[in-house]
Amino acid sequence: MTPSHPPISGASSRRLGFLLAAGAAVLFSAKAILAKFQFRYGLDALDVMALRMGLALPLFALLAVRESRRAAAPLQARDRALILVLGVLGYYLSSLLDFWGLQYVPVSLERLILFLNPTFVLLLGVVLFKRRVARREWVALAVSYAGVALVFVESLRLEGDHLALGGALVLGAALAYALYLALSGELIHRVGPLRLVAYAMLVSTAVTAIHYVIARDPAGLLRLSAPVYGLALVNAVLCTFAPVTMTMAAVARIGSGAAAQLSALGPVSLLFLRGWLLGESVSALQVLGTAVVLCGVLLLARPAANSVPLDPIDDPLPGQAGNPPGR
């Protein structure tokens, strides 16, 4: 699996790293809660996404400027082309399908499906890069999907018929983001993680704006109520931009492996937040299924999980377990 980055030494620094990674995991997951609240004001997936990307744009633009000034070399033509593809895949298509799916599924199921990203990256590695998979990885895959199936069946009983459509949309979002991860492995080493995320988010914002202008009147975004703008601002700053910088700061202190393990707090936190904030019911089977999924993904994310040696180019990118920066 992904090798850990060299952590910054010091006990206090490591403690801060653990806190940053845990906080980022919860904040990343909380975007689903905020989207559910925005849906109650009559917004749909495209509205939520346009507000999120538009309000986060200044922050990512400043980040892009800072990282470009720090860069040792300018982008090559092939890097620019790949960033365009990654921006469309990772932060436009994946986000749009995710928010669309959230209109039909509970937040806990959405986060569990997205949490399967490492398994999708692994399978894409088999298909696209002819990667060999160790037996324990297949076991981890089976455990993860069994847990999602358990939660899905129980949620279908509780939520109704639209769950299948919503689950398929979120699954499409997870696959799109897994493809983003699989394609960005080599690029991230040349460009840098924060620089790549900033550029990809700028591309995604531009594509989202084009989509919105084609689909509807953008002036409608200026006639929304104050609570909607407040929720969108929190989503853009606290659940999008802040977790990106928190995750990368955590990786620098504790390594990408430990940061990835702590991303498991995201799905766990939503089990409690959905009942507290949204009033959604949580059954014992859903809790059990969540625990099974977490076990499977964490087994897959262990540094020793892969017993088959990989070439460095085959390794995707830091953060593939759980929620990578920007997700």
Side-chain angles (χ1 to χ4, degrees):
M1 299 302 292
T2 304
S4 296
H5 291 264
I8 297 175
S9 60
S12 60
S13 180
R14 285 186 60 80
R15 284 195 295 269
L16 177 59
F18 283 114
L19 289 175
L20 288 171
V26 175
L27 288 175
F28 272 136
S29 299
K31 73 173 179 60
I33 299 280
L34 293 170
K36 288 286 191 180
F37 279 126
Q38 288 175 286
F39 293 155
R40 294 177 179 180
Y41 285 92
L43 276 67
D44 63 9
L46 184 57
D47 294 323
V48 171
M49 185 174 164
L51 288 170
R52 177 201 188 198
M53 302 301 291
L55 291 174
L57 175 61
L59 297 174
F60 282 106
L62 289 174
L63 181 62
V65 171
R66 190 192 73 170
E67 293 301 311
S68 63
R69 288 176 177 174
R70 291 181 174 182
L75 292 176
Q76 302 298 317
R78 63 171 182 168
D79 293 337
R80 295 192 190 98
L82 185 53
I83 287 172
L84 288 174
V85 173
L86 294 177
V88 173
L89 274 178
Y91 300 116
Y92 165 71
L93 181 60
S94 179
S95 294
L96 182 61
L97 292 174
D98 182 27
F99 284 126
W100 191 5
L102 273 170
Q103 294 181 239
Y104 304 105
V105 302
V107 294
S108 56
L109 179 59
E110 178 259 3
R111 185 50 41 179
L112 274 187
I113 295 175
L114 293 181
F115 197 67
L116 292 175
N117 262 324
T119 70
F120 298 141
V121 172
L122 178 65
L123 294 175
L124 284 173
V126 173
V127 175
L128 299 179
F129 306 114
K130 309 303 180 183
R131 181 188 174 206
R132 292 176 295 160
V133 178
R135 181 180 302 175
R136 70 189 68 182
E137 290 182 301
W138 288 120
V139 173
L141 285 173
V143 170
S144 301
Y145 292 127
V148 169
L150 182 62
V151 174
F152 184 85
V153 171
E154 177 66 2
S155 298
L156 186 62
R157 182 182 68 84
L158 297 174
E159 303 291 337
D161 297 334
H162 293 297
L163 195 77
L165 172 60
L169 290 169
V170 177
L171 181 64
L175 289 172
Y177 199 72
L179 188 57
Y180 163 89
L181 293 180
L183 294 176
S184 62
E186 184 182 358
L187 182 62
I188 198 171
H189 297 298
R190 296 199 303 270
V191 177
L194 282 178
R195 190 182 179 198
L196 176 57
V197 167
Y199 287 170
M201 289 294 287
L202 295 180
V203 171
S204 175
T205 302
V207 176
T208 301
I210 293 172
H211 183 171
Y212 202 94
V213 169
I214 293 174
R216 59 193 60 168
D217 182 7
L221 292 178
L222 303 177
R223 297 190 292 265
L224 302 173
S225 62
V228 172
Y229 294 124
L231 291 168
L233 185 61
V234 172
N235 195 353
V237 177
L238 294 184
C239 298
T240 304
F241 182 79
V244 168
T245 54
M246 290 168 66
T247 298
M248 298 316 300
V251 166
R253 288 166 171 80
I254 62 177
S256 59
Q261 296 281 346
L262 284 168
S263 67
L265 291 175
V268 173
S269 68
L270 282 186
L271 276 179
F272 301 98
L273 290 176
R274 63 175 289 197
W276 176 36
L277 297 175
L278 297 175
E280 296 180 354
S281 60
V282 181
S283 71
L285 279 178
Q286 288 174 322
V287 174
L288 176 61
T290 300
V292 171
V293 174
L294 296 182
C295 288
V297 173
L298 291 179
L299 282 172
L300 193 61
R302 289 171 53 205
N306 179 19
S307 61
V308 180
L310 296 176
D311 294 328
I313 197 173
D314 291 331
D315 196 19
L317 101 133
Q320 70 171 333
N323 300 299
R327 188 68 184 85

